[in-house]
Amino acid sequence: MTQYTAVTDADLAEMLSAIGVSSIQELFDRQIPADVRLGRSLDLPAGLPEQEVYAHLRALAAGNVSAEDEITFLGAGMYDHYVPAVIDMLLGRSEFLTPYTPYQPEVSQGNLQAMFEYQTAISELTGLPVSNASVYEGPSAVASAGYLARLANGKPKFVVSRGLHPHSRETLQTYAHGFGAEIVEVPLRDGVTDPEAWAAAIDGETGAVFFQQPNFLGAVEDATALASAAKDSPAVVVGQYDPIPLGVLKPPGECGVDVCVGEGQTLGNRLDFGGPSFGFFAATEAYLRRMPGRIAGETVDADGRRGFVLTLQTREQHIRREKATSNICTAQALNALAGVVYLTWLGKQGLVDLGELLLQRTHYAREQLVALDGVEALHSQPVVREFALSLPGCDVASVIRRCQDEGVNPGYALGRDYDELPDGLLVALTEQRSKADIDRLVEVLGAAVAAERTAVGASA
Amino acid sequence: MQRDRATTIFEKGAPGRRAFVAPKLDVPEVDRDSVLPPRFRRDAAARLPEVSEPELVRHYVKLSRRNFDLDTGFYPLGSCTMKHNPRLHERVAALPGHSRLHPLQSPERSQGALELMYNLERALGEVSGLPHVSLQPSAGSHGELAGVLLTRAFHEDRGQTRHKVLTPDTAHGTNPATVTMAGFEVVKVGTNPDGGVDLDDLRAKADEDVACLMLTNPNTLGVFDPNITEIAKIVHDVGATLYYDGANLNAIMGKARPGDMGFDIVHFNLHKSFTQPHGGGGPGSGPIAVSERMRPYLMNPRIVKQDDGVFDLDDHGYEKSIGRLRGFQGNYGCFVRSYAYICSLGADGLTDASETAVLNANYLLAKLKEHGVADKLPLAFGDLCMHEFVLSGSPMKKDLGIKTLDLAKRLLDHGYHPPTVYFPLLVDEALLVEPTETETKETLDGFAEAIAQILAEAGDDPLIAQNAPYTTPVRRMDEAAAAKRPIIRQPLGDAA
Amino acid sequence: MADASYPTELLYHSEHDWARIDGDTAVFGITWYAQDALGEVVFFDPPEVGSSVSAGESYAEVESVKAVSDVVAPLSGEIVEVNLGLGDTPENINNDPYGDGWMVKVKLSDEGEIASLLDAAAYEATLS
């Protein structure tokens, strides 16, 4: 017996007698052949009381430098937005935390309606009429959009902007190698997808095109132009979007995007060192029956009362098996619930206000940083919440370390993913970074760059 | 439960209401068009709800009360392992050192997280008997995709192009769907009268064009395949890999290991055996463990422990990696919870979990027999079971006029979540019951009595079950209407 | 839903499909038995006009809430018309399988195949 099981000696005797065996071991011996039984204890530490497990996990947490411990400008796909208290409170409720997929709609209306509301919110955000109830996370959502295209038109070539998140490009590549599509990458020019190379890469064999808005370097792409370049091809136009900037940016549904996917972490989900979060997946009506994942729909019950069910399930693996639109089996229901609660918390005007605030602060931060000696803008495109700098002649990792020693994490070293940008630094903002924080970054980064240039100069 | 008429959040509130107060603009304001040209701008705001915080809270709390959940009642949903979710896990996962850790924080400043992941990998390797672990996949289905893509890479590395993957006809739907997504053709293998793999059929279909056999053991019939060693031999003799769908791992922790049975790849559902809260259907986590020969193809980045005890993330740690399957390192928040679970239970506790799960399942089965239920709901295969069992509602339907679905719906009125119904497909009117180890004997007794009562009641009047449930927030739903003319978002007027 | 019936003026394929032959064209649909087995039809995924069909092979899919079934062509030919009305009212397949529930009209490529179909009595005999 452990803290989570309840079989007393008296229970055990009664249960074994009801079953008609003499021991629990007999249940295993009669079903598992001797040659594959383990026959020893697992080589793992002994169990611990709750307070000791807590202490251990707290000690591990203390071995990390979190956004609680430094002023962070790290983004590159996940962002340190404030998670409102109502989310902790609602997600902690047993009724949301501990049920499973709503297989029995009569006792899952809370979940199903939350999915329906989530779908509505994502549709509104993206300007696309159809949304599923969420998928695993961002980059795999991009890859799933590729599979949708593969099933929809069968064309073997995917055209991918180099501005797409490196993790999305890698994930798409991994999936595409399986189902047999080739990736053609289009380079960036002055921070955005090179429009001529993009148009030239798209032809009658292109199954899908992929870009990111804003792109990985923080630059706002001309989404309408990118989408329209694919108009005369069979390609499905896929945009990976950061949802927060959609408070101010033209929605993909108005730009000619067919499938909009993205990482939902910024909508009320914690950083959690990369997950769990959710991926959103929205599309034009034409792809309704090709969507991966769960979809909730409205209907009525036997008494005519309004209610919600999982619908269009014939797309899914448990029914269509090898012909399914995806192998995905659930949604990220709890994380998507955080998403719709967050969007509700922000509200119609709040999302706009948040976007405008980020625009202004991001603009201010870029101006201030670019004014520093040894710091340049990597591109001059409009940005919303994130921008790329270059620190010519500096070892960026070393600059970051110097800043972190001063309690500021200045951002992400682009050279980790972009060989052509060895001195690039990607700086991200959220509403949690005030003017005072930005000013502190300017001070610390300026000093770090100066020190680094001195160090490099001295060693040269 | 809450029985008000359903109104969505989009139908509540009033223009101008809000729960969010934006931080004040503390930088010098510049002309908005100069920072973002109008052609990139949104014309009309997304029509999100406009409610105050109290309205928001009341709406979602009321919604929550329209759900049945594990903390309220018994949830024997077969194949889903609805075991208790210790609340310690929520507390430790919420520690800011875990929950506010950015995934791109440098390894030297995320040592605690990397150590936790490293330890979890070792533990999963030990439980499965397969030493090399990647935590990256987001769910079981994602782990399956990883496994089949690893198989592809394994064969390609040997200069072989194989086209087929074998799956038993009892398999979860995710298996065949995964096979197609990974670019292989599905070939079904039959089931023998004892509920295991039909060896003759397997021998006939296993040839040099087969890349892999995907198996669950115990399988979805609750049957542990006694021929597993022979199956592994047949598959390995044609050069194929053997994949273990870990959905049913909760039956064998500390008792038997997929690696020892000859499996090359296994996925874990952390949300099953290692007790993640199911969250209404996600998040989950689906790490995989593999044998030595599959190791080079695992997903990057790899967590390494250096000689000096410092942990690092190596983007090129696996030399022939299939690449990434998602962003960042996986569902770390889930790792924290499952790691806490393993720390709490330890070696003996995990073994106890599986032993008790199997005990509980067999006890429930015996109790149903005692109540005379077995005539109407016989066990589909065998006489004992592992951690779950499949009953057939076929005689019940014939003799009493109620289907498995009716039984399930009537169970709702008794305060139980029904078992999985109509799966596996192989069993007519299937009812797949998995009580898990965290339920008490009294709960199992009560459930067996409820089933007996429902059958007795149906003997008098089948209409009662046929029209059930009666006590839930809504009654049976018109699913056909939902599918015919899909309404999948709240209509908000003209736009979109 | 209509009662079980198998009109004698139609010919049948053992995969539960019927054909109404009119010279060198034929109209296809599914039988009462097929729609009953499927349950309430919620979606018909039609083929394209101009595509060809082969006897014994699937040319379309019908869906109920929790099942998808292939619809098998009783005869070979080229599709000249599709019942687009089923898009809005797939329930016609249940309510009137031999009338408004028809699926496609086909220009036959091999009238010799007709001889291989079953008459109503022979088809009904396969159902028991």
Side-chain angles (χ1 to χ4, degrees), chain A residues 37 224 251 268 273 291 377 404 414:
Chain A
R37 272 181 242 141
T224 306
F273 201 47
M291 299 283 280
Q404 283 198 285
L414 284 165

Side-chain angles (χ1 to χ4, degrees), chain A residues 305-371:
Chain A
R305 295 165 67 87
R306 185 189 194 187
F308 304 89
V309 292
L310 292 175
T311 194
L312 300 169
Q313 294 191 65
T314 48
R315 299 164 295 113
E316 294 184 66
Q317 45 74 34
H318 61 289
I319 293 174
R320 207 179 285 257
R321 299 179 78 85
E322 64 267 25
K323 290 185 189 163
T325 56
S326 161
N327 71 339
I328 200 165
C329 182
T330 63
Q332 295 285 109
L334 195 67
N335 306 94
L337 173 67
V340 67
V341 171
Y342 184 75
L343 287 169
T344 299
W345 180 73
L346 283 181
K348 182 179 178 183
Q349 189 56 39
L351 182 69
V352 178
D353 292 351
L354 179 58
E356 295 290 352
L357 177 74
L358 288 173
L359 271 174
Q360 294 287 342
R361 281 191 183 162
T362 304
H363 176 77
Y364 173 78
R366 179 152 79 161
E367 296 280 290
Q368 298 295 308
L369 288 165
V370 168

Side-chain angles (χ1 to χ4, degrees), chain A residues 103 289 313-314 319-320 323, chain C residues 43 61 63-64 66-68:
Chain A
Y103 294 117
R289 287 174 191 275
Q313 294 191 65
T314 48
I319 293 174
R320 207 179 285 257
K323 290 185 189 163
Chain C
F43 184 63
E61 282 181 351
E63 296 182 6
S64 61
K66 287 187 179 153
V68 185

Side-chain angles (χ1 to χ4, degrees), chain B residues 60 107 113 135 192 220-221 226 288 293 312 325 369 401 405 454 493:
Chain B
Y60 285 104
L135 300 175
N192 67 28
T220 57
L221 300 170
I288 60 169
R293 62 179 185 154
D312 197 11
L325 273 173
K369 272 187 207 146
L405 184 73
I454 293 169

